[in-house]
Amino acid sequence: GAGVSQSPRYKVAKRGQDVALRCDPISGHVSLFWYQQALGQGPEFLTYFQNEAQLDKSGLPSDRFFAERPEGSVSTLKIQRTQQEDSAVYLCASSSGSGIELFFGSGTQLSVL
Amino acid sequence: AQKVTQAQTEISVVEKEDVTLDCVYETRDTTYYLFWYKQPPSGELVFLIRRNSFDEQNEISGRYSWNFQKSTSSFNFTITASQVVDSAVYFCALSGVNDYKLSFGAGTTVTVRA
């Protein structure tokens, strides 16, 4: 596609439910990032992939958060046993390399009730 | 540790006014990149500019201009003759040259009234 695509656009989950957020990066982009954006705040880094390798997951808030990119293209961010503090917009971004312009998707807005 | 501060939370202007967004950063890196991104209501972050810390020359792109002052650790952004379509949240960000993580400020919401 022309840009980074994320689905679903909105997700409402009951506390304790598992959710899966999908990211389709720009074709050919080797680098893929996940960021979390709380209301009224700037995005915060969660994790980074280069192709299928997860090179950095230092930003993941807890072991309930898990990300994968098995074939080096589409990525899924999974949150287990969601809690209210997980409510945020989850942004995916891709780039052709490190330090290069990031292209962001429109995000998935997660609301945990 | 890297830190980006955008002291202005919200700015409201009337169309055709100029608006300047402040950005102050902290880093221990000697070389780094500075960025500005625009986030319209649709949600995606749109890249506006990347500036290398070696290059202190100011830059102009259409109605946008950037003032980088290494001595004061500031990278300010000016929109000249603002338009309603400029209404968005603007983020300043920082990364090390060999780093892939962006550290974002909290953002400044710009509202341009017709």
Short mmCIF file of all heavy atoms in Angstrom, two decimals, chain A residues 31-32 45 47-58, chain B residues 100-101:
data_model
loop_
_atom_site.label_atom_id
_atom_site.label_comp_id
_atom_site.label_asym_id
_atom_site.label_seq_id
_atom_site.Cartn_x
_atom_site.Cartn_y
_atom_site.Cartn_z
N SER A 31 12.67 -1.54 8.72
CA SER A 31 12.53 -1.15 10.12
C SER A 31 11.07 -0.91 10.47
O SER A 31 10.35 -0.25 9.70
CB SER A 31 13.34 0.13 10.40
OG SER A 31 14.71 -0.09 10.18
N LEU A 32 10.68 -1.41 11.62
CA LEU A 32 9.29 -1.23 12.08
C LEU A 32 9.32 -0.93 13.57
O LEU A 32 10.06 -1.56 14.34
CB LEU A 32 8.46 -2.49 11.80
CG LEU A 32 6.96 -2.39 12.13
CD1 LEU A 32 6.14 -3.17 11.10
CD2 LEU A 32 6.65 -2.85 13.53
N PHE A 45 8.34 5.22 22.79
CA PHE A 45 8.86 4.03 22.13
C PHE A 45 8.49 2.76 22.90
O PHE A 45 8.61 2.70 24.13
CB PHE A 45 10.38 4.13 22.03
CG PHE A 45 11.07 2.89 21.56
CD1 PHE A 45 11.15 2.58 20.21
CD2 PHE A 45 11.64 2.01 22.47
CE1 PHE A 45 11.79 1.43 19.78
CE2 PHE A 45 12.28 0.86 22.05
CZ PHE A 45 12.36 0.57 20.71
N THR A 47 8.89 -0.77 20.95
CA THR A 47 9.73 -1.84 20.45
C THR A 47 10.13 -1.57 19.01
O THR A 47 9.49 -0.78 18.31
CB THR A 47 9.02 -3.20 20.58
OG1 THR A 47 9.91 -4.25 20.24
CG2 THR A 47 7.79 -3.29 19.68
N TYR A 48 11.19 -2.27 18.58
CA TYR A 48 11.77 -2.04 17.25
C TYR A 48 12.13 -3.37 16.61
O TYR A 48 12.73 -4.24 17.24
CB TYR A 48 13.01 -1.16 17.41
CG TYR A 48 13.97 -1.15 16.24
CD1 TYR A 48 13.55 -0.77 14.96
CD2 TYR A 48 15.31 -1.48 16.40
CE1 TYR A 48 14.44 -0.74 13.90
CE2 TYR A 48 16.21 -1.45 15.35
CZ TYR A 48 15.77 -1.07 14.10
OH TYR A 48 16.64 -1.03 13.05
N PHE A 49 11.78 -3.50 15.33
CA PHE A 49 12.13 -4.66 14.53
C PHE A 49 12.99 -4.23 13.35
O PHE A 49 12.74 -3.20 12.73
CB PHE A 49 10.88 -5.34 13.96
CG PHE A 49 10.05 -6.06 14.96
CD1 PHE A 49 9.08 -5.38 15.69
CD2 PHE A 49 10.20 -7.42 15.18
CE1 PHE A 49 8.29 -6.04 16.62
CE2 PHE A 49 9.42 -8.09 16.10
CZ PHE A 49 8.46 -7.39 16.82
N GLN A 50 13.97 -5.05 13.06
CA GLN A 50 14.66 -4.94 11.79
C GLN A 50 14.40 -6.25 11.06
O GLN A 50 14.87 -7.31 11.49
CB GLN A 50 16.15 -4.71 11.98
CG GLN A 50 16.87 -4.35 10.69
CD GLN A 50 18.31 -3.94 10.93
OE1 GLN A 50 19.15 -4.79 11.19
NE2 GLN A 50 18.57 -2.65 10.86
N ASN A 51 13.65 -6.15 9.99
CA ASN A 51 13.10 -7.35 9.34
C ASN A 51 12.32 -8.16 10.38
O ASN A 51 11.47 -7.60 11.06
CB ASN A 51 14.22 -8.15 8.68
CG ASN A 51 14.85 -7.37 7.54
OD1 ASN A 51 14.16 -6.90 6.64
ND2 ASN A 51 16.17 -7.21 7.59
N GLU A 52 12.61 -9.44 10.54
CA GLU A 52 11.82 -10.22 11.50
C GLU A 52 12.43 -10.21 12.90
O GLU A 52 11.82 -10.72 13.85
CB GLU A 52 11.68 -11.66 11.00
CG GLU A 52 12.97 -12.47 11.01
CD GLU A 52 13.84 -12.21 9.79
OE1 GLU A 52 13.47 -11.34 8.96
OE2 GLU A 52 14.88 -12.87 9.67
N ALA A 53 13.60 -9.63 13.04
CA ALA A 53 14.29 -9.65 14.33
C ALA A 53 13.83 -8.49 15.21
O ALA A 53 13.90 -7.33 14.81
CB ALA A 53 15.79 -9.58 14.11
N GLN A 54 13.44 -8.83 16.42
CA GLN A 54 13.07 -7.79 17.39
C GLN A 54 14.34 -7.38 18.11
O GLN A 54 14.83 -8.07 19.01
CB GLN A 54 12.03 -8.33 18.38
CG GLN A 54 11.46 -7.26 19.30
CD GLN A 54 10.34 -7.80 20.18
OE1 GLN A 54 10.23 -9.01 20.40
NE2 GLN A 54 9.49 -6.92 20.70
N LEU A 55 14.87 -6.24 17.75
CA LEU A 55 16.17 -5.81 18.27
C LEU A 55 16.08 -5.06 19.58
O LEU A 55 17.07 -4.95 20.31
CB LEU A 55 16.90 -4.95 17.23
CG LEU A 55 17.22 -5.64 15.90
CD1 LEU A 55 18.08 -4.73 15.02
CD2 LEU A 55 17.90 -6.98 16.13
N ASP A 56 14.93 -4.53 19.88
CA ASP A 56 14.79 -3.75 21.11
C ASP A 56 13.35 -3.83 21.56
O ASP A 56 12.45 -3.46 20.81
CB ASP A 56 15.20 -2.30 20.84
CG ASP A 56 15.29 -1.46 22.10
OD1 ASP A 56 14.67 -1.82 23.12
OD2 ASP A 56 15.96 -0.42 22.06
N LYS A 57 13.15 -4.31 22.77
CA LYS A 57 11.80 -4.31 23.35
C LYS A 57 11.82 -3.64 24.71
O LYS A 57 10.96 -3.90 25.55
CB LYS A 57 11.24 -5.72 23.42
CG LYS A 57 12.11 -6.73 24.17
CD LYS A 57 11.44 -8.10 24.13
CE LYS A 57 12.28 -9.13 24.88
NZ LYS A 57 11.64 -10.48 24.88
N SER A 58 12.78 -2.76 24.89
CA SER A 58 12.97 -2.13 26.19
C SER A 58 11.83 -1.23 26.61
O SER A 58 11.66 -0.94 27.80
CB SER A 58 14.28 -1.32 26.18
OG SER A 58 14.20 -0.28 25.22
N TYR B 100 17.82 4.56 16.94
CA TYR B 100 16.60 4.45 16.14
C TYR B 100 15.38 4.94 16.91
O TYR B 100 14.32 5.06 16.35
CB TYR B 100 16.38 3.00 15.72
CG TYR B 100 16.69 2.02 16.84
CD1 TYR B 100 15.78 1.82 17.86
CD2 TYR B 100 17.90 1.36 16.89
CE1 TYR B 100 16.07 0.98 18.90
CE2 TYR B 100 18.20 0.51 17.93
CZ TYR B 100 17.28 0.31 18.94
OH TYR B 100 17.58 -0.53 19.97
N LYS B 101 15.56 5.20 18.21
CA LYS B 101 14.42 5.63 19.01
C LYS B 101 14.27 7.13 18.93
O LYS B 101 15.25 7.87 19.00
CB LYS B 101 14.64 5.29 20.49
CG LYS B 101 14.80 3.85 20.81
CD LYS B 101 15.02 3.69 22.32
CE LYS B 101 15.50 2.31 22.66
NZ LYS B 101 15.75 2.16 24.10
#
